[in-house]
Amino acid sequence: MPDITGYRAKMAVIVPSTNTVVEHDMNVMRPPGVTFHAGRMYIEQPQIADDEQFEALLVQIRASLTVAIRDVLTCAPDRLVMGMSAETFWGGVEGNRAFEQRVTGMSGGLGVSTGATSCRDGLTALGARRIAVLSPYQPIADVNVTRFFTEAGFDVVGFAGLRCPTALDIAAVPPDRLIRVLRDLDGPDVDAIVQVGTNMSMVALADEAERWLGKPVLAINATTLWHALRSHGVTDRVHGAGSLLREC
């Protein structure tokens, strides 16, 4: 018998324990019959003020990922959705592929939607090749994000790194600052703007920005949900969350 609330799909969403945005965003965009169930990775030290601290955060994520997946599997989900993006870009295209294989193995064979793959597929679906990127990260992470997109065949013609000092601060970046950064990133050589960092609340703002910039703005949480839904055969059009979920 199907689950009464998640009768179309139960999605296991893996997030750092510091993250306050992903669960909110997923539920705002939720189609009927799809439910989201969090597996939270324990983060004891959320500081990411420099490259060394950022790498230390990834060590914490890697150490707690197995338990987060183990725990959420007890609700018998249909798919894994990675609600953390930096690790999925790490090591470029091959690093993302290895990460997907690893978490699929941990889950006993579930399909997985990562931020990196979702952005690649979303940009391809929209026909965008020249991109600008908005990131809350430190330089070492931005190098890996750029590497992934370049290896995936995109031209990264603009990049803005906000250098948030802690993982919690990512959720506190005000919309007026994001609007300024989006306008600064835009240009005639930019086909689309991509936002990474799942604890940054950008879904509604990205949808609005598409109207005044006249081009796609991919918020990482909306893009990852798009990939998860379409990969699972859920084709509902979701409004207010950007062109991918509305049109593709």
Side-chain angles (χ1 to χ4, degrees):
M1 295 293 291
D3 190 279
I4 294 299
T5 56
Y7 53 87
R8 299 170 76 190
K10 292 185 291 185
M11 302 281 186
V13 184
I14 309 302
V15 295
S17 59
T18 51
N19 193 296
T20 58
V21 170
V22 166
E23 291 160 286
H24 165 272
D25 283 358
M26 294 295 176
N27 283 298
V28 166
M29 298 182 286
R30 185 181 70 85
V34 177
T35 53
F36 304 107
H37 311 280
R40 299 182 72 81
M41 299 176 292
Y42 177 62
I43 304 298
E44 184 177 7
Q45 300 294 334
Q47 290 76 23
I48 52 171
D50 55 32
D51 285 348
E52 184 179 36
Q53 288 184 348
F54 200 95
E55 288 191 286
L57 181 75
L58 293 185
V59 170
Q60 295 177 79
I61 284 173
R62 292 162 189 161
S64 57
L65 178 61
T66 301
V67 171
I69 292 176
R70 180 204 68 185
D71 291 352
V72 79
L73 285 179
T74 60
C75 76
D78 300 300
R79 188 173 187 84
L80 288 178
V81 182
M82 302 313 299
M84 35 79 88
S85 59
E87 176 75 336
T88 73
F89 289 102
W90 220 260
V93 167
E94 183 54 39
N96 176 61
R97 184 180 297 114
F99 177 83
E100 291 182 342
Q101 291 174 346
R102 187 162 69 253
V103 298
T104 294
M106 290 177 185
S107 71
L110 290 181
V112 57
S113 293
T114 65
T117 293
S118 300
C119 288
R120 181 199 66 199
D121 292 356
L123 289 167
T124 300
L126 293 168
R129 304 309 302 175
R130 296 169 300 174
I131 66 171
V133 182
L134 167 58
S135 154
Y137 301 145
Q138 296 298 327
I140 191 170
D142 294 345
V143 166
N144 279 275
V145 171
T146 301
R147 174 184 175 184
F148 174 86
F149 283 123
T150 301
E151 291 179 356
F154 301 96
D155 294 325
V156 181
V157 299
F159 206 111
L162 303 185
R163 311 288 184 257
C164 292
T166 77
L168 294 167
D169 289 325
I170 296 173
V173 179
D176 59 340
R177 184 182 182 193
L178 296 174
I179 290 169
R180 290 194 301 270
V181 174
L182 288 172
R183 291 194 182 278
D184 288 343
L185 284 172
D186 187 31
D189 60 338
V190 175
D191 297 330
I193 297 174
V194 180
Q195 171 258 323
V196 300
T198 62
N199 206 27
M200 183 177 290
S201 184
M202 277 279 294
V203 170
L205 178 57
D207 183 68
E208 295 171 8
E210 289 188 330
R211 288 188 281 274
W212 34 266
L213 294 177
K215 63 188 58 175
V217 179
L218 277 65
I220 189 78
N221 291 337
T223 304
T224 306
L225 177 60
W226 167 82
H227 185 275
L229 292 175
R230 300 302 182 258
S231 297
H232 200 68
V234 178
T235 59
D236 299 40
R237 297 310 193 235
V238 179
H239 293 268
S243 52
L244 267 177
L245 279 166
R246 186 176 62 250
E247 301 171 5
C248 298

